[in-house]
Amino acid sequence: MQPPYEPFTWRQTKSGRWERDVDEVEQFYTTLAKRFQGSGRVFFALTAHVSFSIATDPTSDANEARVLNALRIAWLRLRYDHPTIASWVEYNHDAKKCHKIYETFGGEGETAWLKNTFQVISNNQSGHEWCNSNPPVPKLPTLFLIKRAPVDGHFRADLVLRSHHEIIDGIGSLHLLDNLFKCASEAFDRPETFPIPEFSDEWKNLSPPLKTAASIPDLDVPEQDPTLRSIMDRNTAVLEEAEIAQIPHQSGATVPGYHKRVSLTLSEEQTQQLLAASKKLDASITHVYHAAIAIIVRDLQTREHEKRRVRYISYSPINERSQCKEPYNKPQHAASVYHSVSGQSLAIDLTVPALGKSNPTTEERKAEFVQTVKQVKDYYLNMRDDKEHIRLVPSYWYLSTPPYPPGLEDPPVPPPNPAPSASIASLGVIEHILAPTHGKFELDDPWVTGDELGTGLGLFLGTFRGRMSLSAAFNDAWHDGNDAKDFVTRCNDLVIEML
C-alpha cells in the first residue's frame, strides 16, 4: 500500500486503541456536525429503520426475552464482524486534524457496550413516531428497539439504528441490518451453539475510508485539474444564468428544530403499473420521480404578470461500493461511508405561466413531463458513464467542506439557506440488500434518512416486498408536516397522471 493511503491505515496508538485519518467524505460529515453542534442536533445523523415480527407463544414472556436475547447476541457478533460500529471521530488538537478511533472493550467488557448501544423502548410509540420526536444521537452507533403491541401471537417491534454519518451511510446501514437479522435468526434457533467470538483481533475487520477502498489517488491541487475546473465552472454558471426555483418555507427561525419524515407507500399493483409505464418511457422510476420533483418545485413558484423561465437545480447521491476493490465492495464492510454525490449539477429549465393565464392542456403537460424525464435520464446516464467521476470524488467532498471549527466552544450555528430546493435519493429495490425474511423473522418498512437541519426537502425512493415508498425528510423549523406530505403526494399524483 503506497501513499496517500498510509495515513488511512488503522494503527495501534496505545493498548486497545486504534486510530487512522479520516478521508474527505468522512471529514465533510464530521465538519457539518461540528458546525451545527450549537443547535443541540447532529446534521445528517443517520437513521435506519425496519419493522419486524416473529411468531412466539403469547402466554410466555420467555419468548419475548428469547427474541431480545437473539438480537443482542447478533449485535455483539456484529461488533466483531464490523468493529467500525464501535468507532467515532474526534478532533486532535495537537495534530490539528480529525482522527477516527476504535477502542476494544473497557474494564466492564461487552456488558457495558451492549447496555449502552442496544436499548429497548416501550412508550406506546411506533418507530416512525419515535424517529420524529428528536431521538438521541449517541456517540457510538446504537440500536433502539421500539416494542409494539403483539398481534396474533407475533412479537412485533421497530428496530432503529442511530449513528453519526461519518461512521456509516444509508446503503451500508441496510447491509448492516441484513447481517444483523442473519445472525439473529441463527441465534434465535440455536442460542446454545451460536458462535460468540473472542474479542482480541476484531480490529483486523476495521473498515478503511472510501479513498483507500476504491484506490483513489490524491489530486495535488484540485482546483487546477482541468476536468474538475470545467465542472465547477459549469455549476457556477447554471446558478448565475437564470432565476433559481426554490421551495417555499417558513421564515423567522434561525436555528433548526426537529428533523422529521413523512411517507407515502403504494400498493403492489400500483407499483407494478408505474414500473411498466416507466419502462415504456425507456426510463427508470427514479428518473420519473426526479422529473416530477422538478415540475412540482416549478409549480410552487409565485406567478407574475408575465410568464418566465426558472431553473431547477439538484444533484444525485451515488453508492460507490461497486467502485471499491474486494473485500470492500462486499457487505462485510457495511459499516463504512462509501458514497459520493454527483459533481455536476442537474439543471432543468421550466416555464412558470403568467398570473391569470389558463393552465397548460393535458397534452402540453405530458409533452413537458416526457421532455423533463429525458433530461433527467440523460443526466443520470452521463453520471453512470463518467469514467472520471470516481477519481474526482475526494475533490468534490473537499471543495464542499467548510473549515473545521477547531475551538473547544460550539461555533455559531450557520444561518439557514434562503433558497432551498428538493432532492431525491434512490434506495432501489431494497430486498436486493435487506432480505424480507430471515428464518422466523419477517421484515417490513425499511427506510433510511439523514437528519435534515436545513431548509430543503430530501426525498427518498425505495421498493420493498413489491411496494414502492416515497418519503421526504424535512426540518420542522421551516416546514410543516402537512406541507411536506402535500409535496410528496403532489409528486406521486403527477407521476400517476402522466404515466
Side-chain angles (χ1 to χ4, degrees):
M1 184 179 292
Q2 299 295 320
Y5 311 120
E6 189 270 340
F8 305 119
T9 301
W10 288 96
R11 281 186 166 73
Q12 189 168 12
T13 54
K14 63 180 182 181
S15 178
R17 181 180 172 108
W18 281 261
E19 299 186 31
R20 67 162 171 81
D21 285 7
V22 297
D23 74 347
E24 288 82 355
V25 57
E26 294 169 323
Q27 185 65 64
F28 172 82
Y29 289 115
T30 301
T31 299
L32 266 190
K34 176 67 174 179
R35 285 172 63 83
F36 280 80
Q37 194 167 285
S39 71
R41 297 177 173 87
V42 180
F43 210 138
F44 286 135
L46 183 125
T47 301
H49 168 284
V50 68
S51 301
F52 74 89
S53 67
I54 184 169
T56 59
D57 178 356
T59 64
S60 171
D61 289 339
N63 270 307
E64 177 182 318
R66 184 178 163 198
V67 174
L68 297 179
N69 185 57
L71 286 164
R72 284 192 182 94
I73 291 172
W75 183 235
L76 183 61
R77 173 78 212 191
L78 258 59
R79 163 76 188 249
Y80 182 88
D81 293 340
H82 309 281
T84 318
I85 62 171
S87 69
W88 70 94
V89 174
E90 66 181 43
Y91 185 75
N92 184 314
H93 289 273
D94 294 330
K96 292 184 169 48
K97 61 181 179 180
C98 293
H99 287 170
K100 186 168 272 193
I101 295 163
Y102 171 76
E103 289 186 348
T104 55
F105 289 125
E108 296 180 50
E110 59 205 48
T111 304
W113 178 77
L114 270 176
K115 180 181 178 182
N116 290 330
T117 66
F118 188 99
Q119 300 187 25
V120 178
I121 296 173
S122 302
N123 60 2
N124 297 316
Q125 282 185 309
S126 68
H128 191 273
E129 290 168 335
W130 184 78
C131 290
N132 276 353
S133 59
N134 196 35
V137 188
K139 176 181 176 181
L140 299 181
T142 298
L143 283 177
F144 295 90
L145 185 141
I146 296 94
K147 290 169 59 176
R148 304 183 72 175
V151 173
D152 297 330
H154 283 68
F155 176 80
R156 300 190 311 152
D158 298 327
L159 200 63
V160 177
L161 173 70
R162 290 283 280 169
S163 172
H164 289 253
H165 209 335
E166 62 267 22
I167 304 301
I168 192 169
D169 60 20
I171 296 296
S173 66
L174 294 174
H175 282 300
L176 191 78
L177 289 174
D178 190 61
N179 292 342
L180 177 78
F181 279 100
K182 280 179 186 174
C183 293
S185 175
E186 292 181 40
F188 184 81
D189 290 337
R190 298 181 297 279
E192 306 84 7
T193 59
F194 184 78
I196 300 296
E198 290 288 331
F199 283 86
S200 60
D201 61 348
E202 77 278 5
W203 65 271
K204 294 177 181 177
N205 298 327
L206 288 164
S207 296
L210 173 64
K211 198 164 192 174
T212 301
S215 301
I216 307 173
D218 265 332
L219 284 180
D220 292 334
V221 185
E223 296 86 346
Q224 293 181 11
D225 183 85
T227 304
L228 183 63
R229 192 167 64 242
S230 172
I231 292 170
M232 295 297 106
D233 288 347
R234 180 189 175 278
N235 288 348
T236 301
V238 298
L239 288 170
E240 295 174 346
E241 295 168 351
E243 177 189 345
I244 305 304
Q246 54 185 276
I247 55 173
H249 63 287
Q250 301 159 8
S251 59
T254 58
V255 176
Y258 285 13
H259 156 85
K260 293 189 175 181
R261 174 186 179 271
V262 295
S263 67
L264 183 156
T265 300
L266 305 184
S267 68
E268 289 185 53
E269 182 182 5
Q270 286 177 310
T271 301
Q272 289 306 312
Q273 288 174 342
L274 286 182
L275 289 171
S278 298
K279 196 171 183 180
K280 286 183 180 178
L281 273 185
D282 194 26
S284 75
I285 199 72
T286 304
H287 303 153
V288 168
Y289 272 93
H290 206 159
I293 289 170
I295 290 171
I296 296 301
V297 170
R298 183 277 312 275
D299 290 346
L300 292 172
Q301 304 310 295
T302 303
R303 292 194 180 191
E304 299 176 354
H305 291 295
E306 300 292 333
K307 70 176 183 180
R308 70 192 196 279
R309 302 285 282 178
V310 296
R311 180 167 289 167
Y312 168 77
I313 302 286
S314 187
Y315 65 95
S316 178
I318 304 169
N319 174 24
E320 299 291 3
R321 282 168 172 77
S322 64
Q323 298 291 332
C324 298
K325 59 181 183 287
E326 289 200 17
Y328 310 120
N329 58 349
K330 299 291 194 297
Q332 70 194 77
H333 283 277
S336 54
V337 192
Y338 292 167
H339 70 270
S340 68
V341 293
S342 52
Q344 188 163 293
S345 299
L346 169 64
I348 297 176
D349 288 344
L350 296 160
T351 300
V352 179
L355 185 68
K357 295 292 184 181
S358 59
N359 289 325
T361 65
T362 301
E363 289 73 19
E364 289 171 333
R365 292 176 69 238
K366 285 196 173 183
E368 178 189 58
F369 186 81
V370 169
Q371 176 59 27
T372 306
V373 169
K374 183 181 184 304
Q375 287 180 263
V376 172
K377 176 188 170 184
D378 289 345
Y379 170 77
Y380 275 81
L381 292 182
N382 286 337
M383 282 196 308
R384 183 197 68 185
D385 297 336
D386 183 4
K387 304 302 182 189
E388 289 278 88
H389 173 75
I390 192 65
R391 177 180 75 86
L392 299 174
V393 163
S395 299
Y396 293 144
W397 288 115
Y398 167 75
L399 294 173
S400 302
T401 306
Y404 185 86
L408 297 175
E409 301 289 325
D410 289 344
V413 177
N417 175 11
S421 187
S423 62
I424 189 169
S426 177
L427 301 172
V429 182
I430 296 175
E431 54 253 51
H432 291 167
I433 304 171
L434 175 60
T437 301
H438 283 284
K440 296 183 177 66
F441 287 90
E442 294 290 335
L443 311 188
D444 201 13
D445 196 23
W447 50 264
V448 299
T449 65
D451 278 19
E452 178 59 74
L453 301 190
T455 52
L457 289 178
L459 277 74
F460 295 82
L461 187 68
T463 302
F464 192 74
R465 291 187 178 270
R467 304 191 308 272
M468 190 173 65
S469 178
L470 181 68
S471 61
F474 64 97
N475 194 278
D476 72 357
W478 297 291
H479 296 283
D480 177 81
N482 292 328
D483 293 338
K485 188 63 176 280
D486 181 64
F487 186 91
V488 169
T489 302
R490 289 179 67 172
C491 288
N492 191 64
D493 288 347
L494 178 63
V495 168
I496 290 173
E497 180 189 358
M498 291 295 101
L499 295 188

